[in-house]
Amino acid sequence: MLRLLQIAFFFACLFTSLPSQAKNFTSAELTYSWVADSTFTFTLNLFSPCDTVHILPPTANICYFNSCNSTAGSFQVALQPSGGPSTSSIPNKYVYSGDFTIPSQCDSWTFHATVEMLQSINLAGTSSRYIEATLNNADAPAFSSPVFLNYPKTSTCLSQSTYIIVGAHDPDNDSIVLERIPHLTSAGGIFTFCGNTTSSIPYASPYSFTSPGIVVHPIGMLVMSPTSIDSGYQSYAVRVNKYRRSDGKKLGSVMRDAQIRLRPCPKDSVVSLGFLPSTFTGISYNGPVANAYANSPVSLCVYGSVPPGTNHHLKLSSNAGNVLSGTTFTTTSVNQDSIVGCLTFTPSISDTGDYALAFTLKDSVLIISDCFSHHVVVMKNIAHLLRINHPTSINNLHGTNPVGFYPNPASTSISINASSPVFTTILSMEGKTLIRATMDKSIDISGLSSGVYLVQIRDEGGTLLKSEKLIKVAW
């Protein structure tokens, strides 16, 4: 009898000492980076509320399959020392990472994981969320996936619009397109086993995919407008698709499934936050895109204010330091009701690509109970798409007119920029000609469905001058 009690006590201690699978993550994302040959580093980022600390297992499972030869399996990634509790109101971040050599070439590899998350009021049933990353190593054997430069936004106020800056960036300077997608679930989990069959998670009444209103903006952010009835944790999922810039070939995708806490906030006066174009240096415009150039200094300022007499203490911040290295953002209080913030930096060759720069005006006086002693109220957000170009195109800053088109993305028409007669063709990504224009400066694209197309501009002799992907959106 004593022996049986000793054995029972041993197993009780063993199982209670094992870390359990955490069930209150608020966001998850899976990305990869090329190492050499067919080896890639896969990274699983998990986020939890800033007041919750997990003791996690040392490894997690990443599952995979393809549609070329039905290869399937799994591998383990290790918990990294950098993951763990945060020291501010940003969420806690836990990082699992490891190398995996892909056994064969295929244009449709899928790597996935299933993560337990907090229950959301806009979703019904399971809290298990399926996330995935796709990879095409048949057409491009050596490339890395897009990455999320910004932490997922943790909370916002009811009855006011807020910007969720996804911060997607492609390290290879290929084209990326952001889309919002339905939530998926699958059997298994990152600490248990693989489940390769997915299903959609239904929405809880009265919610749907379009309610509460979340609008995807093509520069890489979501605009959310929650109402007074939407209090609680609500979920959204986004996918970032990667296309080769030269020919529009899809190379892969990554996704983020995240939750944001919506809650009542004290009503406040109307605030103002905007850019000061007179302060811009090193920037030129092609439609809605601000162009800067590697190795050339860039500076811009924003101005925020509230009505006089409201006794506010304003704070301006920017995500620039998270998405670009070597940036300096300084703020100057004009008075207690207004503030100016200026961003300066010199981009390098490695910074070429598209970035969504965001600026946030906060009030440090209004207090809301949150993870720590206080939580500042986000009053206003603005964002701008900045495209950093290679320095070989720096003549764009000095008055020349390179061949091109704008805006991009576009909804109804595009304008052709050329100093001599050109012929423009718009093709599907499968190569089918959809629109031909002869020396037209403006081309109507309203008849095209939302999606990705290829624009080719040729001179009168048929020489290709420009070939670039066009993103058609329905604004």
Side-chain angles (χ1 to χ4, degrees):
M1 183 64 181
L2 178 61
R3 181 61 175 168
L4 290 176
L5 288 174
Q6 290 174 331
I7 294 173
F9 179 76
F10 169 79
F11 280 103
C13 294
L14 174 65
F15 286 112
T16 54
S17 65
L18 289 175
S20 62
Q21 180 170 350
K23 296 182 180 295
N24 55 349
F25 292 111
T26 55
S27 182
E29 60 199 35
L30 178 63
T31 61
Y32 54 85
S33 59
W34 179 71
V35 178
D37 298 326
S38 297
T39 300
F40 293 77
T41 299
F42 287 82
T43 301
L44 173 67
N45 292 324
L46 304 173
F47 301 87
S48 69
C50 48
D51 58 352
T52 303
V53 177
H54 296 313
I55 300 175
L56 298 178
T59 60
N61 297 319
I62 303 297
C63 313
Y64 63 89
F65 64 89
N66 72 35
S67 60
C68 298
N69 55 22
S70 300
T71 298
S74 66
F75 59 94
Q76 290 190 324
V77 287
L79 181 64
Q80 301 301 304
S82 58
S86 70
T87 57
S88 67
S89 59
I90 63 174
N92 295 322
K93 182 180 181 181
Y94 302 89
V95 179
Y96 283 91
S97 183
D99 291 350
F100 177 69
T101 299
I102 300 177
S104 61
Q105 289 191 339
C106 177
D107 61 2
S108 58
W109 282 101
T110 298
F111 299 84
H112 61 95
T114 302
V115 180
E116 291 290 329
M117 300 180 70
L118 284 174
Q119 189 66 48
S120 300
I121 66 171
N122 62 325
L123 297 179
T126 180
S127 59
S128 296
R129 306 292 177 76
Y130 169 93
I131 60 170
E132 69 177 20
T134 63
L135 185 152
N136 174 2
N137 67 338
D139 293 298
F143 72 95
S144 298
S145 75
V147 293
F148 298 96
L149 298 179
N150 287 359
Y151 273 52
K153 190 177 181 68
T154 58
S155 63
T156 191
C157 298
L158 295 171
S159 303
Q160 72 177 46
S161 295
T162 187
Y163 295 93
I164 301 174
I165 311 298
V166 177
H169 174 69
D170 187 71
D172 303 320
N173 197 25
D174 281 314
S175 299
I176 55 177
V177 179
L178 174 72
E179 63 174 331
R180 184 172 169 234
I181 59 175
H183 300 272
L184 298 174
T185 188
S186 177
I190 54 175
F191 306 127
T192 54
F193 63 93
C194 292
N196 290 333
T197 302
T198 63
S199 60
S200 297
I201 301 177
Y203 284 87
S205 179
Y207 297 100
S208 66
F209 185 72
T210 58
S211 176
I214 300 179
V215 179
V216 179
H217 195 285
I219 72 168
M221 65 182 180
L222 307 178
V223 183
M224 174 180 277
S225 301
T227 65
S228 58
I229 66 170
D230 298 323
S231 182
Y233 280 99
Q234 297 209 22
S235 295
Y236 64 92
V238 293
R239 176 184 289 126
V240 181
N241 298 298
K242 174 186 175 101
Y243 299 89
R244 188 159 51 198
R245 192 175 291 274
S246 60
D247 59 5
K249 184 72 175 179
K250 186 174 181 179
L251 302 181
S253 66
V254 295
M255 65 173 287
R256 168 186 281 178
D257 194 307
Q259 294 173 322
I260 184 169
R261 183 184 177 191
L262 310 178
R263 59 189 175 183
C265 296
K267 297 292 273 185
D268 201 354
S269 304
V270 176
V271 299
S272 174
L273 178 62
F275 292 97
L276 296 173
S278 61
T279 66
F280 289 13
T281 59
I283 296 175
S284 64
Y285 279 89
N286 185 5
V289 179
N291 286 278
Y293 297 85
N295 301 329
S296 296
V298 173
S299 63
L300 60 92
C301 298
V302 296
Y303 175 80
S305 66
V306 294
T310 51
N311 194 30
H312 288 279
H313 295 279
L314 302 180
K315 289 186 177 181
L316 260 177
S317 61
S318 173
N319 72 329
N322 294 329
V323 300
L324 286 166
S325 60
T327 60
T328 300
F329 186 68
T330 57
T331 60
T332 303
S333 296
V334 180
N335 52 54
Q336 70 172 20
D337 303 320
S338 58
I339 190 170
V340 173
C342 293
L343 176 68
T344 59
F345 67 103
T346 300
S348 65
I349 297 292
S350 61
D351 292 325
T352 55
D354 294 345
Y355 299 86
L357 296 182
F359 300 87
T360 302
L361 178 63
K362 296 181 179 180
D363 184 344
S364 62
V365 175
L366 296 175
I367 306 298
I368 299 175
S369 177
D370 197 18
C371 298
F372 302 96
S373 59
H374 72 279
H375 176 81
V376 292
V377 175
V378 176
M379 300 170 62
K380 190 78 171 181
N381 298 274
I382 56 174
H384 208 320
L385 178 63
L386 178 67
R387 177 168 296 158
I388 299 177
N389 300 280
H390 196 276
T392 55
S393 57
I394 196 168
N395 60 334
N396 294 355
L397 282 174
H398 301 292
T400 62
N401 282 320
V403 173
F405 65 91
Y406 65 92
N408 189 16
S411 59
T412 57
S413 65
I414 59 172
S415 298
I416 305 302
N417 186 28
S419 57
S420 58
V422 293
F423 300 88
T424 305
T425 305
I426 301 179
L427 306 94
S428 69
M429 298 311 295
E430 291 74 34
K432 180 181 179 181
T433 298
L434 303 176
I435 296 176
R436 281 195 178 96
T438 304
M439 292 182 283
D440 294 338
K441 288 294 185 180
S442 180
I443 300 175
D444 181 11
I445 62 169
S446 58
L448 297 177
S449 302
S450 297
V452 182
Y453 300 88
L454 192 64
V455 177
Q456 294 184 344
I457 303 175
R458 300 177 183 272
D459 64 15
E460 291 180 294
T463 300
L464 182 64
L465 304 176
K466 185 78 171 182
S467 180
E468 185 174 334
K469 180 173 58 98
L470 164 68
I471 302 171
K472 169 65 166 62
V473 295
W475 286 343

